[in-house]
Amino acid sequence: MAQKQLRIGTLIEAYGLHAAAWLATDPAPGAPTDIAYFQNIARICEEAKFDFFFLADTPATRTTDLEAWSRSPMYMNQLEPITLLTALAGSTSKIGLAATASTSFYEPYNIARLYASLDHISKGRAGWNVVTTANNFAAKNFGLDRLPPHDKRYAKAHEFYDVVTALWDTWEDDAWIYDREEGLTFDTAKFHPVSHKGEFFTVEGGLNIARPPQGYPVIIEAGASEAGKTFAAQTAEAVFGVATDVDEAIAFYKDLKGRMPAFGRDPDQLKVLAGATIVVGDSAEEAKARFDHWQSLIHPEVGLVRIKQDLETDLSDLDLDQPVPMDRIPEKANFHAAYFEEIKGLIAKGHTLREICQKYTRAKVTIFGSPEEVADMMQEWLEREACDGFMLTFPVLPSTLEDFRDRVVPVLQARGIFRRDYEGSTLREHLGLARPENRHVTAPALETVDG
Ligand SMILES: Cc1cc2nc3c(=O)[nH]c(=O)nc-3n(C[C@H](O)[C@H](O)[C@H](O)COP(=O)(O)O)c2cc1C
C-alpha cells in the first residue's frame, strides 16, 4: 500500500513567529509591508513543496501596553492578507495561498467575492481560514464594545458559511459559454441567484464572478471549543490542531473525524494539521541553544505583556528579580489552558519573573533537533494518526524556514512520506480534497440501455 503522505502548511509572519524575531534576524526595516520580502518567503515555501502558505489576521492593532508592543510589533503593521496573497499569486505557480477572514467583521458577499477572485487569479490555489475572532480590540473597530458571546459568534459563522457557499454556486461551472454564433455570453438557465433571509444576513442576488476554479476555495478552521469542533466536522476541509503532545493529538484527531459521518461526510475529506514550531540544527542541543539566545532577546516589558495575556493577570507590580508568589496565579484559565499551564509550571519551579519572561515559549509543540530527529517526530505523528500533516511555524525568518527546506524536506522525501514535486496544480489537489459539486447540478441519471 502506498505510504500516507504528509500535508504541510506554514503560518507566516514577517520576521518569524518568535516574540523577538525582528531582533534575531538581519534587520530588514519595513519587511511587514514589503511585497519583495514576502515574495522571497513564498518562493522558499514553494521550493520546499509545501501545500500552502498561510497568513493569520485580526482586523485590529493593540491599543494598550504600547511600550511593549513597540518592542514586539506583531499585529501592529500588516498587509491586508487577501491583498497580499493576490500579489503572491503572480510570483508563485503551485503553492496554495490561504488566509484568515472573520465571520464577525465581514459580510458574506464581500468574502465570497474576494476569495472567488483570489481563486481565479491563482488558478485554484485559494484557502479561507474561517474564524469568529476572539478579541475585543477588533470588536471596537466595528462599532461594538466587546465581542458577541461565543455561541452567537458560531451561530453567525454557520449562517455566514451557508451564504458564502450559496454565492459561490451562483453560476454553474459551464455557465459562461461565449457563444459567438448565438451571440450569448452566458446560459441563463445556469445562473442561480441567492435568496437568503436568516437571523444575521439577508442576501438577495447573485455573485458577480464565475464559480471559483476549485468550486469552493478550501475551507480551513482552527476552533478547539465544542462549537468549533462541531462547525469543523460539518464544514472544514483542513483544521489546525492545537494539541500539546502526541496522545492529545490522537484523541483530537479521532474526536474530530468521528463527528463527520453524522453530517454525511467522509473523514478523509478533512485534513488535520498539527501545529508545531521547528528549529533544525546539527543536534537538538545546538538548535535549543539558538532558541535560548532568541528567548534572551525578549525585553522584560514584552515578556510581562505576554504573561499578562496568557496567565490572565497583571504581574507588572512585582520585582523582576524575585520569584512570583504562587497566590498570584488565577484559579483557572479562561482563554488558553496550555499557555496558562506553561507559565504556572515556571512559577512553581521558583524562577524569577525576569527568567519566566525569557523562558516562556508559548509554543505548544516545539521541536529542536537534527533533520532526522525532526523527520522522526513528523513520521511518528503521521503514522500513529495524530495528524494528516502539519501546520508549521518558524520562529525566525528566513533562516529557520530555509533550514527546514534544505535539511528536513529531503529526509521526508527520501522516506517516501512527502512529495518530491507537486502532482497537481490546485490546493484541493495538493491536499487530496474533492472538488464540491454545485448544489444546483444533480448528478446525471444513468443511461438505460434498451434491449
Ligand atoms: C494555526 C492557527 C491560526 C489561527 N489564526 C487565527 C487568525 O488568523 N485569526 C483569529 O482570529 N484566530 C485565529 N486562530 C484562532 C482560532 O481560529 C479560534 O478563533 C480560536 O481557537 C477560538 O475558537 P474556539 O473558541 O472554537 O476554540 C488561529 C488558531 C490556530 C491554531
Side-chain angles (χ1 to χ4, degrees), residues 54 56-58 100 129 131 133-134 150 154 222-225 228 240 242 391:
F54 170 72
D57 191 54
T58 300
T100 294
N129 181 34
V131 304
T133 301
H150 195 265
Y154 269 102
S225 61
F240 301 153
V242 290
M391 184 59 186

Side-chain angles (χ1 to χ4, degrees), residues 32 78 137 155-156 183 198 216 218 224 397:
Q78 282 182 311
F137 293 106
K156 192 174 180 184
Y216 305 162
V218 173
L397 293 179

Side-chain angles (χ1 to χ4, degrees), residues 48-126:
K49 313 294 180 203
F50 289 167
D51 293 63
F52 64 95
F53 172 109
F54 170 72
L55 297 165
D57 191 54
T58 300
T61 58
R62 302 296 195 243
T63 51
T64 56
D65 301 302
L66 288 181
E67 166 73 16
W69 289 108
S70 76
R71 296 179 182 281
S72 181
M74 211 175 270
Y75 316 116
M76 301 301 281
N77 178 27
Q78 282 182 311
L79 287 166
E80 192 290 310
I82 306 171
T83 311
L84 172 52
L85 292 184
T86 306
L88 293 177
S91 64
T92 54
S93 61
K94 295 287 186 192
I95 193 166
L97 301 166
T100 294
S102 173
T103 54
S104 299
F105 305 117
Y106 261 110
E107 287 288 323
Y109 198 95
N110 302 125
I111 286 299
R113 193 178 185 200
L114 283 163
Y115 281 91
S117 299
L118 177 61
D119 208 44
H120 279 287
I121 291 168
S122 64
K123 300 202 177 343
R125 294 186 283 136

Side-chain angles (χ1 to χ4, degrees), residues 443-450:
L446 287 178
E447 269 181 47
T448 49
V449 182
D450 289 336

Side-chain angles (χ1 to χ4, degrees), residues 98 110 115 145 188 208 214 244 247 267 276 285 304 320 372 377 411 417:
N110 302 125
Y115 281 91
D145 267 354
T188 54
N208 54 352
Q214 296 187 100
T244 51
D247 293 323
E285 295 68 35
L304 284 172
L320 275 170
E372 286 72 23
M377 175 268 177
V411 178
I417 54 171

